[in-house]
């Protein structure tokens, strides 16, 4: 049996499997505390999306992100390039259904895209020659103040 990929919660440092970490993030005391602290700060509450990002060809590489609903897919594209993909400035696209799916404009807001998705994962393709395919799934939303000034916050990764 293959060894299951493990990751770490950025809030409390707990290490666990992908499935256990997904469950852990919904109730992590350190995350609850961080959210409460952010909510007590200045600014307006907004919709925040909990996204699971995974390598499209296998379960070995994954991230849990919190993304502002008002952020664009271009923000997500930049983030994925910075953390995983960028090598040479290749083209990329988002779609539902992979190569054969309808391309989604990078200017679209995350909240609009994932609301319209109706549970279907979003596909990100980077480099149309030797492509890297990433699947992005909405796991949940919360209304509150973001944990960072940036459009995306890394909650866990392996």
């Amino acid at each position: 049996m293959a060894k299951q990929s493990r990751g770490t919660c950025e809030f409390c440092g707990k290490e666990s499997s992908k499935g256990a970490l997904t469950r852990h993030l919904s109730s992590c005391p350190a995350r609850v505390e961080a959210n409460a602290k952010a909510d007590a700060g200045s600014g307006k509450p907004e919709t925040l999306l909990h996204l699971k990002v995974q390598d499209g060809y296998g379960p070995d590489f994954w991230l849990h992100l919190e993304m502002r609903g008002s952020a664009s897919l271009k923000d997500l594209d930049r983030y994925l390039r910075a953390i995983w993909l960028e090598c040479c400035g290749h083209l990329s696209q988002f779609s539902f259904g992979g190569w054969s799916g309808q391309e989604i404009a990078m200017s679209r807001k995350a909240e609009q895209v994932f609301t319209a998705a109706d549970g279907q994962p979003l596909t990100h393709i980077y480099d149309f020659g030797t492509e890297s395919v990433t699947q992005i799934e909405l796991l949940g939303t919360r209304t509150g103040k973001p944990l960072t000034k940036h459009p995306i916050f890394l909650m866990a990764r392996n």
Side-chain angles (χ1 to χ4, degrees):
M1 183 188 239
K3 185 176 178 185
Q4 193 172 39
S5 173
R6 298 179 67 79
T8 305
C9 173
E10 293 293 322
F11 295 99
C12 69
K14 179 178 179 157
E15 182 183 306
S16 40
S17 69
K18 179 174 47 176
L21 204 48
T22 299
R23 289 185 299 278
H24 167 76
L25 283 169
S26 67
S27 62
C28 172
R31 180 181 180 208
V32 170
E33 184 179 324
N35 289 343
K37 185 176 178 182
D39 287 344
S42 61
K44 283 180 22 181
E46 59 181 281
T47 300
L48 301 160
L49 311 174
H50 178 174
L51 304 176
K52 180 180 74 178
V53 180
Q54 179 173 298
D55 175 18
Y57 295 118
D60 292 337
F61 300 102
W62 48 268
L63 308 166
H64 282 272
L65 307 175
E66 185 168 83
M67 182 174 182
R68 293 173 185 238
S70 61
S72 70
L73 291 183
K74 184 66 175 172
D75 293 317
L76 183 54
D77 179 66
R78 284 185 193 119
Y79 189 88
L80 294 175
R81 286 169 181 264
I83 199 165
W84 267 353
L85 303 169
E86 188 63 79
C87 72
C88 319
H90 292 289
L91 296 174
S92 61
Q93 77 174 41
F94 286 98
S95 64
F96 289 112
W99 279 106
S100 60
Q102 178 67 38
E103 185 174 353
I104 302 167
M106 293 275 186
S107 61
R108 294 279 310 273
K109 301 298 180 199
E111 185 175 15
Q112 297 168 333
V113 171
F114 284 100
T115 299
D118 197 27
Q120 183 179 6
L122 183 66
T123 300
H124 179 259
I125 300 170
Y126 172 81
D127 183 358
F128 300 133
T130 308
E131 77 273 354
S132 295
V133 178
T134 308
Q135 297 295 317
I136 304 148
E137 180 183 356
L138 176 66
L139 296 182
T141 62
R142 74 176 181 92
T143 301
K145 296 178 186 166
L147 296 166
T148 179
K149 64 180 181 175
H150 302 289
I152 298 171
F153 181 84
L154 175 66
M155 297 193 296
R157 74 177 299 178
N158 71 336

